[in-house]
């Protein structure tokens, strides 16, 4: 029997159906657990799809290095497992614990960055010295500088707001800006301009959330433009990357090779792609197909549908992070959620723009998707922090408690009902025919 609601919906006109759909969608998005579930769902889908693409894009490279075809995939799988441990750990602790570990994380990152700057200790890869050799793996401290700025900046601004001093410029800027500049300087010593750009975006995000005046943004943006211009002009390969924006043909000197073949990958993919594992650009034409340009490899093998799916998952993650930030009265939760969301979204935009030829190649991985152990661990930590903040609201706590209670009731019923079925009387046999 069809319900009255379903009958009324089917008999309604297109405008009424659209209004009903919008009302149902708005109700679903406004539920307290929606941001929490969106963060979990989009993260898991990005990680699983990223593992598939890392395996597909790295096989040829691994075989060319006389390694197993699963070499990079297995390393990424280990990083995902360790990242899940960090994610669950951050998600399970109360918000108060996050505020306790702020300064240990900050000072630990500064110490690790100082070790990277020491000649002979820091490891140089592709012209940048950003790694520490830990034996079994290489560790990139600059990836965790983003996590340190999220926690430290949020805690600092929350305490100043509680004390009522954020309306004064010196309390608004000090020590937030000097601390961020210290991290930036230590990262730039190793030549990692991509991570520095993300930290600048996070700093702007924190200042915007706290209500900094417009003239401050204009002045800071002017200084940032001057510094970035100086850094680009003084390093030849950075100026070359800037000239590769919108490239359509190969330079006679071989410049913009990577950017051009990234665009070729999208063109070869078409609407539905050539199929998982069937891409040809990864056979040596597209450098870093499993790391910085994994989105281009995705475009070739999964097509426009696959790339739009990845973008949609990042959009869902960004929406959930913004919902967490604006749906709380706790200043620390607001600033930490906003900074973490700015981090993930800014890094994703820089990577996607580089692969599409719309931005200069910055050398930053696609969060939760590209190959890279340190990047995966830091991104998973950010997601764990977001989950911790998402479940800290009263509405989310009540919804999670109700779900937990319902699951306990179901488990008890599952234990009781089978016993009742086994002790029930057997069904009666066929009745005797009366004569």
């Amino acid at each position: 029997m069809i319900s009255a609601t379903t009958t009324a919906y089917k008999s309604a006109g297109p405008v009424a159906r659209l209004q009903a759909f919008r009302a149902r969608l708005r109700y679903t998005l406004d539920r307290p657990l929606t941001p929490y579930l969106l963060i979990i769902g989009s993260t898991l889908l990005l990680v699983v799809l990223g593992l598939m693409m890392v395996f597909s894009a790295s096989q040829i490279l691994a075989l060319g290095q006389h390694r197993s075809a699963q070499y990079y995939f297995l390393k990424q799988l280990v990083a995902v497992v360790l990242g899940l441990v960090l994610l669950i750990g951050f998600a399970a602790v109360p918000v108060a614990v996050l505020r306790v570990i702020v300064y240990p994380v900050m000072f630990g990152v500064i110490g690790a960055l100082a070790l990277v700057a020491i000649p002979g200790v820091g490891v140089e890869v592709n012209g940048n010295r950003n790694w520490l050799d830990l034996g079994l793996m290489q560790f990139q401290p600059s990836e965790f500088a983003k996590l340190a700025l999220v926690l430290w900046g949020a805690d600092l601004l929350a305490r100043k707001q509680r004390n009522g001093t954020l309306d004064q410029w010196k309390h608004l800027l000090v020590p937030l800006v000097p601390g961020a500049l210290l991290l930036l300087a230590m990262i730039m010593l190793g030549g990692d301009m991509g991570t520095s750009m993300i930290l600048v975006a996070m700093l702007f995000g924190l200042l915007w959330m706290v209500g900094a005046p417009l003239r401050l943004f204009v002045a800071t943006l002017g200084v940032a433009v001057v510094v970035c211009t100086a850094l680009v002009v003084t390093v030849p390969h950075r100026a070359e990357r800037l000239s590769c924006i919108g490239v359509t043909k190969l330079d006679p000197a071989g410049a913009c090779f990577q950017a051009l073949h990234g665009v070729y990958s999208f063109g070869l993919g078409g609407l539905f792609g050539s199929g998982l594992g069937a891409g040809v650009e990864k056979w040596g034409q597209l450098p870093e197909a499993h790391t910085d340009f994994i989105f281009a490899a995705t475009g070739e093998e999964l097509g426009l549908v696959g790339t739009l799916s990845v973008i949609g998952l990042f959009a869902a993650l960004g929406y959930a992070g913004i919902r967490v930030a604006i749906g709380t009265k706790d200043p620390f939760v607001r600033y930490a959620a906003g900074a973490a969301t700015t981090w993930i979204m800014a890094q994703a935009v820089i990577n996607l723009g580089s692969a599409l030829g719309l931005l200069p190649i910055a050398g930053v991985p696609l969060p939760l998707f590209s190959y890279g152990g340190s990047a995966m661990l830091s991104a998973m930590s950010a997601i764990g922090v977001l989950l911790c903040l998402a479940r800290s609201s009263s509405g989310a706590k009540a919804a999670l408690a109700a779900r937990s209670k319902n699951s306990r009731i179901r488990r008890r019923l599952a234990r009781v009902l089978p016993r009742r079925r086994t002790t029930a009387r057997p069904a009666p046999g066929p009745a005797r025919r009366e004569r």
Side-chain angles (χ1 to χ4, degrees):
M1 181 177 180
I2 302 176
S3 64
T5 305
T6 307
T7 305
Y9 179 79
K10 288 185 175 181
S11 61
V15 176
R17 289 186 183 184
L18 179 60
Q19 291 176 348
F21 173 76
R22 289 177 59 185
R24 187 179 302 174
L25 179 63
R26 185 177 301 173
Y27 169 76
T28 302
L29 294 177
D30 288 343
R31 296 173 66 181
L33 271 185
T34 296
Y36 185 82
L37 297 177
L38 273 178
I39 293 171
I40 294 177
S42 56
T43 298
L44 290 179
L45 288 173
L46 282 169
V47 169
V48 171
L49 185 58
L51 282 172
M52 292 168 49
M53 287 310 306
V54 166
F55 179 57
S56 175
S58 65
Q59 292 182 69
I60 306 305
L61 176 64
L63 292 173
Q65 297 172 344
H66 305 289
R67 291 170 169 157
S68 167
Q70 298 84 20
Y71 176 77
Y72 290 103
F73 167 77
L74 293 176
K75 290 187 69 175
Q76 184 75 349
L77 185 60
V78 171
V80 167
V81 173
L82 295 177
L84 284 174
V85 173
L86 288 175
L87 185 152
I88 295 172
F90 278 110
V93 300
V95 175
V97 174
L98 295 180
R99 304 192 70 170
V100 169
I101 65 173
V102 163
Y103 285 95
V105 171
M106 186 69 172
F107 290 130
V109 167
I110 292 175
L113 289 172
L115 289 176
V116 170
I118 299 176
V121 178
V123 177
E124 184 173 326
V125 178
N126 294 331
N128 293 342
R129 190 170 63 200
N130 299 316
W131 285 266
L132 291 174
D133 192 354
L134 302 182
L136 296 177
M137 63 176 292
Q138 289 184 347
F139 173 70
Q140 189 175 359
S142 60
E143 286 291 338
F144 287 87
K146 295 175 279 192
L147 178 64
L149 183 58
V150 166
L151 297 177
W152 177 71
D155 178 72
L156 177 68
L157 293 176
R159 285 190 288 107
K160 286 181 177 290
Q161 180 172 332
R162 184 187 59 192
N163 296 332
T165 57
L166 282 179
D167 56 343
Q168 305 174 29
W169 276 51
K170 65 176 183 179
H171 287 287
L172 178 64
L173 300 179
V174 180
L176 177 63
V177 174
L181 290 178
L182 174 62
L183 292 175
L184 285 169
M186 299 184 76
I187 292 172
M188 283 305 300
L189 284 176
D192 190 354
M193 190 170 180
T195 303
S196 301
M197 292 168 60
I198 298 169
L199 257 69
V200 170
M202 293 169 62
L203 177 60
F204 273 91
L206 285 169
L207 292 175
W208 181 79
M209 284 186 291
V210 86
L214 180 61
R215 58 183 180 275
L216 174 63
F217 279 100
V218 174
T220 309
L221 183 61
V223 173
V225 168
V226 172
V227 173
C228 288
T229 303
L231 292 173
V232 168
V233 171
T234 55
V235 181
H237 76 271
R238 290 178 185 158
E240 179 183 325
R241 289 180 177 183
L242 191 64
S243 66
C244 292
I245 297 177
V247 62
T248 57
K249 60 181 180 179
L250 188 63
D251 186 89
C256 304
F257 181 86
Q258 186 178 23
L260 184 63
H261 279 277
V263 176
Y264 284 170
S265 297
F266 292 107
L268 291 171
L271 184 60
F272 296 104
S274 58
L276 190 63
V280 298
E281 286 288 331
K282 64 189 178 186
W283 286 76
Q285 299 300 316
L286 180 63
E288 309 296 339
H290 63 306
T291 54
D292 301 343
F293 272 68
I294 195 169
F295 189 65
T298 304
E300 181 183 4
E301 298 190 354
L302 301 183
L304 180 64
V305 174
T307 54
L308 290 180
S309 299
V310 173
I311 294 174
L313 290 172
F314 276 110
L317 186 57
Y319 168 79
I322 293 172
R323 276 285 307 277
V324 174
I326 66 177
T328 181
K329 296 181 180 179
D330 187 339
F332 174 79
V333 174
R334 182 184 306 116
Y335 300 142
T341 304
T342 303
W343 161 12
I344 299 296
M345 292 300 105
Q347 185 167 335
V349 168
I350 291 172
N351 179 277
L352 299 179
S354 301
L356 291 166
L358 302 176
L359 294 174
I361 300 173
V364 297
L366 188 58
L368 304 170
F369 203 86
S370 295
Y371 172 81
S374 298
M376 179 61 70
L377 293 178
S378 64
M380 286 287 212
S381 300
I383 298 300
V385 170
L386 273 177
L387 287 174
C388 172
L389 302 174
R391 67 179 183 83
S392 66
S393 66
S394 57
K397 287 180 180 177
L400 288 172
R403 286 197 170 205
S404 177
K405 183 178 179 180
N406 291 337
S407 63
R408 287 197 299 268
I409 293 174
R410 292 192 188 98
R411 287 197 297 268
R412 290 175 183 174
L413 289 175
R415 289 196 297 266
V416 172
L417 290 179
R419 259 201 314 272
R420 289 181 178 176
R421 285 195 295 266
T422 55
T423 57
R425 295 176 61 184
R432 292 184 179 180
R433 180 178 299 176
E434 295 292 340
R435 290 187 179 181

